[in-house]
Amino acid sequence: MERKATIADVAKKVGVSKTTISRYLNGNYEFMSQETRQRIEQVIKELDYAPNSAARTLKSQKSKLVGVVVNSLRYQIGAQTVTQINSVCAQNGYGTVVCCSNDDPAKEEQAIQLCLNQQVDGLVLIPCHETAEPYLALCKRNIPVVICTRQLQDWPYGSVYVKHDELIANMLQHLKEQGFEKVCFLQDVDNFHKKWMGDVFAQWAEKLFGMQRNESVALVGREELGVAEAVEQFLREYPDQKKALFAVNTHTLFLTLKEVEQHGLRMPEDIGVCGYDAVGWSELVAPGISSIRQPMDRMGRAAGEKIIEAILQGRMSEGKQALSGTLTFRRSTQLSRLRHKQ
């Protein structure tokens, strides 16, 4: 039987102490150079080293931990999802190891490795990569994985996501019915998920409003200046047409409303405004903002249930679960209401 690599084997090949390897495995990089970290990572892969790998084969030695790697905890979306995953795990006697990738593939890899070092029994991931390949490698090691909030077309195991294509299409159809002639999607970052949302928006903007992608989608970043420039350009390019702005998330929607106020624009007379709102404050902002609400509590609970079920049954996760969000049309986009009054 082939001997499993030990921490001593890794330390010897890297040329450092076992203590340094242990610090790396526990995510303690404070006094470790980037070169050393990369060398340790390389040797671990070469030797196929896994901490206490023999313990994994013993049911009594399960870690009772689930790894959760999310793209961001900056906004309400991530916090809601993680809270519900943690709740389901706790109800079943499992703890969670929560890590944040910041949508950086390198940081995601480190986060996953940190979870593996803790011998997690399964993983829930909000992925950085748009293909399944990096995550299938985990499944080959008999670690069940659930993909959460984002779709990977070639992923054969369990996943939970929101039907954004349906939500975006329905909002744009509403804008068209209300008499808007030009629309603009304010996209904060250019990761594969947001790019896909922008592509869906652009397809419907072309179909309903005759606009090309470069006309209907604006990449604004997360700062106020980007939103200000995009709004200014949109207003300048279509001065005599009924226009509507669509914000990709709560933060961008907030910045958009600030710009509308600074320009002294009335909603919907001068401009329509709508977008995603994870918090629910859009109904409190005069005159009431048309919004999309994602079912993040249900998302987190469904992902938690899928990973726990897979762990308890000793198999890979199963089934794609597509969740519907909620559209609420309020006065910020109700142009036809004004016409009826006239």
Side-chain angles (χ1 to χ4, degrees):
M1 184 175 179
E2 186 179 350
R3 186 178 76 87
K4 298 288 186 180
T6 67
I7 193 170
D9 296 328
V10 176
K12 182 178 179 181
K13 188 162 184 176
V14 175
V16 297
S17 67
K18 290 191 291 185
T19 300
T20 299
I21 303 300
S22 179
R23 285 174 179 161
Y24 171 87
L25 294 173
N26 288 290
N28 185 1
Y29 309 132
E30 187 177 358
F31 301 107
M32 195 178 302
S33 71
Q34 183 68 25
E35 182 180 355
T36 299
R37 286 168 57 182
Q38 290 174 348
R39 177 60 179 154
I40 292 172
E41 182 180 351
Q42 178 185 349
V43 170
I44 285 175
K45 289 180 179 178
E46 289 175 0
L47 299 181
D48 194 24
Y49 170 72
N52 297 324
S53 56
R56 278 198 173 277
T57 65
L58 302 175
K59 290 184 179 179
S60 60
Q61 295 294 319
K62 290 286 187 182
S63 69
K64 304 289 283 186
L65 291 173
V66 170
V68 183
V69 180
V70 299
N71 62 314
S72 176
L73 288 171
R74 183 182 303 182
Y75 305 118
Q76 190 77 6
I77 293 290
Q80 283 180 273
T81 306
V82 170
T83 297
Q84 291 302 317
I85 293 171
N86 183 71
S87 177
V88 171
C89 290
Q91 289 167 10
N92 288 275
Y94 281 75
T96 52
V97 178
V98 179
C99 302
C100 186
S101 70
N102 290 322
D103 264 326
D104 182 332
K107 289 181 180 178
E108 179 186 70
E109 186 175 349
Q110 291 175 1
I112 290 173
Q113 186 59 55
L114 181 59
C115 290
L116 296 180
N117 295 344
Q118 299 301 313
Q119 298 190 35
V120 296
D121 297 326
L123 283 161
V124 178
L125 306 176
I126 298 179
C128 290
H129 297 279
E130 61 182 315
T131 63
E133 185 178 355
Y135 315 114
L136 290 173
L138 296 168
C139 299
K140 290 176 182 177
R141 298 173 63 174
N142 293 320
I143 301 169
V145 177
V146 171
I147 298 297
C148 187
T149 80
R150 299 174 173 182
Q151 293 187 65
L152 299 181
Q153 298 300 327
D154 54 347
W155 177 249
Y157 301 114
S159 62
V160 188
Y161 56 89
V162 174
K163 293 187 278 189
H164 290 289
D165 48 353
E166 179 182 284
L167 293 167
I168 291 170
N170 288 341
M171 183 63 84
L172 284 177
Q173 286 169 342
H174 162 74
L175 295 175
K176 180 67 174 180
E177 290 167 1
Q178 290 296 310
F180 289 100
E181 299 165 289
K182 296 294 179 182
V183 292
C184 183
F185 185 66
L186 301 179
Q187 178 186 327
D188 62 339
V189 295
D190 201 25
N191 62 42
F192 81 91
H193 177 61
K194 296 290 179 64
K195 183 179 181 300
W196 171 77
M197 292 174 69
D199 289 343
V200 171
F201 186 96
Q203 290 166 12
W204 282 98
E206 182 175 7
K207 181 178 180 180
L208 297 175
F209 301 92
M211 303 177 71
Q212 297 301 308
R213 194 186 197 284
N214 64 329
E215 298 174 309
S216 64
V217 178
L219 185 61
V220 299
R222 289 196 170 111
E223 304 302 324
E224 191 168 345
L225 180 60
V227 174
E229 291 176 349
V231 171
E232 183 69 39
Q233 181 175 343
F234 187 54
L235 294 173
R236 185 171 61 250
E237 288 183 350
Y238 307 106
D240 300 319
Q241 293 173 290
K242 294 296 182 183
K243 302 170 289 293
L245 296 163
F246 187 133
V248 70
N249 55 27
T250 307
H251 178 68
T252 306
L253 181 58
F254 174 74
L255 295 179
T256 302
L257 291 171
K258 284 186 67 176
E259 284 305 308
V260 169
E261 182 180 6
Q262 288 178 9
H263 280 83
L265 301 173
R266 300 165 299 165
M267 297 180 286
E269 295 93 328
D270 302 321
I271 196 163
V273 176
C274 59
Y276 282 82
D277 175 20
V279 182
W281 52 255
S282 54
E283 64 180 306
L284 305 176
V285 178
I289 310 301
S290 293
S291 64
I292 294 173
R293 191 84 181 267
Q294 298 183 66
M296 301 317 299
D297 288 343
R298 281 194 290 138
M299 173 92 65
R301 180 157 289 278
E305 289 170 350
K306 278 186 180 294
I307 196 63
I308 290 296
E309 186 179 69
I311 292 170
L312 295 179
Q313 295 183 12
R315 57 166 174 77
M316 293 297 103
S317 62
E318 296 177 350
K320 293 184 178 181
Q321 188 170 350
L323 303 178
S324 296
T326 304
L327 286 93
T328 305
F329 304 129
R330 301 188 177 95
R331 291 178 61 186
S332 68
T333 59
Q334 292 177 343
L335 269 178
S336 61
R337 183 173 177 273
L338 295 177
R339 292 197 182 96
H340 291 153
K341 278 188 174 182
Q342 294 172 354

